[in-house]
Amino acid sequence: MDLADLTRELETLRADALAAIAGAPDSATLEALELDVLGKKGRLTTVLRGIGALPPDDRPKVGAVANAVRGAIESALAERGAEVRSTELAARLAAEAVDVTTPGRPVRRGTLHPSIEAMREIAEIFEQFGFVTYESPEIEDDRTNFQMLNIPPDHPARDLWDTLYVDVEGKLLRTHTSPGQIRVMQAERPPIRALLPGRCFRYEAVDASHASEFFQVEGLMIDEGTTMADLKGLLDQFAKAMFGADKRTRFRPGYYPFTEPSVAFDVECLVCGGSGCPACGRSGWMTILGAGMVHPVVLQYGGLDPERYQGFAFGMGPERIKMLKHGITDLRLFLENDLRFLEQFR
Ligand code: DAH
């Protein structure tokens, strides 16, 4: 190979390369071309290997041509590269176009179960009166669930609570949150303002107003000089906060072994406003909870001197509160996990 051969090869290489670059449809093809022509093992290098065989005087001449060829190819690559990249960008932008005016897909949020929600609503109200929430065990001993609440083993009042027992001597599933009163009294010194929300269990035939598993919220206040008027004022405020500031309330005599005197607490019928309708059994009133002054015997079991301390307690069913508030007529809805029901709340 002499100077003329090599120069011709270089010119051919330039012409081929420029034609291929001009016709390259995309940047991947261009990259392949670049490697093929200018790469370490590319065609230009291959041609230049022939330089060594030339007389020394001719070498720089080939070198000059080779540089010109390289320069021409590089600028053609750059130019065509800019073209295909802008075409590719335009295509990509078109393909990935987002219509920012389309309404978004809503994120589905979970909701609290209405029983939990009701307990929180109740707690929020009593917290404003300084009540603090406590926990108490679901598996309780017979003594705390009954005896220390002034319900001895053979007491007929036990019939009020149909009990589920567990396989451990003296243990049962608590039938109400009232044993929490004893536990708070034993753990704290007065003044006590305790709220005890929790799950309760009874051996019940399930129907629209009875479940074998349900919640209660227990309240307990103990101090020196606590009276029934304090209880009445507090519960009246509670009912107004929960059901409406215009709602009238009343006490009716009731009976619970652990309170003396005991009352049922009523709010005026939320459906008819007091004139009497089927929802309130035509009485004009709806009972929302049981309450009373803590029995001296219960104070003693709690380790408190009844001569010095007085207190009141109350217990309510959050599901019942929710049912009254929203006109729900079947307690079983709270246990069935039907989303159509559950999603209606908050
Ligand atoms: N423990 C009662 C029940 O399960 C509810 C109750 C009534 C609780 C009166 C009280 C109370 O603290 O004073 O039916």
Side-chain angles (χ1 to χ4, degrees), residues 195-214:
L195 215 56
L196 289 144
R199 200 185 286 275
C200 304
F201 308 86
R202 285 186 203 173
Y203 184 63
E204 289 276 3
V206 174
D207 63 23
S209 52
H210 296 86
S212 50
E213 216 183 307
F214 53 93

Side-chain angles (χ1 to χ4, degrees), residues 161 175-178 181 202 214 216-219 256 258-259 262-263 289-293 312-316:
W161 297 277
T175 57
H176 50 179
T177 45
S178 300
Q181 290 184 33
R202 285 186 203 173
F214 53 93
Q216 283 191 343
V217 179
E218 189 86 13
Y256 297 98
F258 33 87
T259 43
S262 303
V263 296
L289 55 81
M293 301 306 291
F312 59 71
F314 53 87
M316 70 185 93

Side-chain angles (χ1 to χ4, degrees), residues 25 65 97 117 123 158 160 195 217:
V65 177
E117 196 180 274
R158 283 217 179 190
L160 287 175
L195 215 56
V217 179

Side-chain angles (χ1 to χ4, degrees), residues 8-342:
R8 208 176 319 108
E9 276 202 31
L10 283 170
E11 292 305 340
T12 309
L13 177 55
R14 180 206 318 246
D16 286 355
L18 292 185
I21 290 168
D26 51 39
S27 46
T29 311
L30 278 178
E31 277 164 33
L33 269 172
E34 180 169 5
L35 197 66
D36 180 44
V37 179
L38 304 180
K40 252 190 208 150
K41 295 178 183 163
R43 285 162 60 193
L44 184 60
T45 319
T46 311
V47 175
L48 291 180
R49 249 185 234 131
I51 281 188
L54 293 181
D57 282 356
D58 287 345
R59 290 180 194 167
K61 293 175 191 159
V62 177
V65 177
N67 281 342
V69 168
R70 172 182 288 278
I73 292 173
E74 278 174 348
S75 54
L77 279 170
E79 207 175 300
R80 182 65 190 146
E83 277 169 28
V84 298
R85 276 195 300 276
S86 88
T87 316
E88 283 166 1
L89 180 63
R92 203 178 134 195
L93 287 177
E96 294 177 7
V98 175
D99 179 358
V100 294
T101 64
T102 327
R105 286 185 209 96
V107 177
R108 278 171 61 94
R109 292 186 60 195
T111 55
L112 290 177
H113 189 278
S115 300
I116 304 296
E117 196 180 274
M119 287 192 286
R120 291 203 183 171
E121 285 168 10
I122 293 164
E124 270 169 32
I125 295 170
F126 283 103
E127 275 162 13
Q128 296 177 50
F129 294 97
F131 280 72
V132 174
T133 297
Y134 288 80
E135 273 186 304
S136 178
E138 291 178 356
I139 296 176
E140 192 48 283
D141 26 79
D142 185 288
R143 224 172 110 68
T144 320
N145 194 80
F146 290 124
Q147 297 171 47
M148 295 168 102
L149 290 168
N150 199 29
I151 314 167
D154 52 353
H155 195 286
R158 283 217 179 190
D159 297 346
L160 287 175
W161 297 277
D162 298 299
T163 308
L164 288 160
Y165 292 89
V166 294
D167 247 358
V168 180
E169 176 67 27
K171 295 275 187 192
L172 45 75
L173 296 181
R174 68 175 170 198
T175 57
H176 50 179
T177 45
S178 300
Q181 290 184 33
I182 300 289
R183 293 183 176 273
V184 171
M185 282 185 242
Q186 289 172 342
E188 304 282 359
R189 292 291 91 194
I192 291 171
R193 288 182 199 192
L195 215 56
L196 289 144
R199 200 185 286 275
C200 304
F201 308 86
R202 285 186 203 173
Y203 184 63
E204 289 276 3
V206 174
D207 63 23
S209 52
H210 296 86
S212 50
E213 216 183 307
F214 53 93
F215 288 94
Q216 283 191 343
V217 179
E218 189 86 13
L220 176 70
M221 166 151 175
I222 295 176
D223 203 348
E224 291 178 31
T226 305
T227 71
M228 196 122 170
D230 299 322
L231 172 62
K232 196 162 190 229
L234 176 70
L235 293 181
D236 184 63
Q237 287 302 304
F238 166 70
K240 287 181 162 58
M242 181 58 84
F243 298 111
D246 56 333
K247 297 288 177 287
R248 290 173 299 142
T249 63
R250 73 172 183 188
F251 270 176
R252 270 186 306 122
Y255 172 72
Y256 297 98
F258 33 87
T259 43
E260 181 58 38
S262 303
V263 296
F265 181 64
D266 297 351
V267 64
E268 71 179 37
C269 176
L270 302 165
V271 177
C272 66
S275 54
C277 69
C280 56
R282 316 215 171 270
S283 71
W285 296 93
M286 290 173 153
T287 300
I288 58 172
L289 55 81
M293 301 306 291
V294 180
H295 197 290
V297 164
V298 176
L299 286 172
Q300 267 164 348
Y301 276 123
L304 299 175
D305 175 5
E307 295 299 324
R308 177 162 176 206
Y309 294 112
Q310 299 75 41
F312 59 71
F314 53 87
M316 70 185 93
E319 284 98 353
R320 179 170 169 76
I321 301 278
K322 207 76 179 160
M323 288 170 79
L324 293 175
K325 198 167 167 176
H326 298 285
I328 301 161
T329 49
D330 197 323
L331 178 62
R332 286 168 290 201
L333 285 167
F334 287 84
L335 294 164
E336 283 167 354
N337 284 335
D338 183 338
L339 286 178
R340 289 169 304 177
F341 170 71
L342 298 177

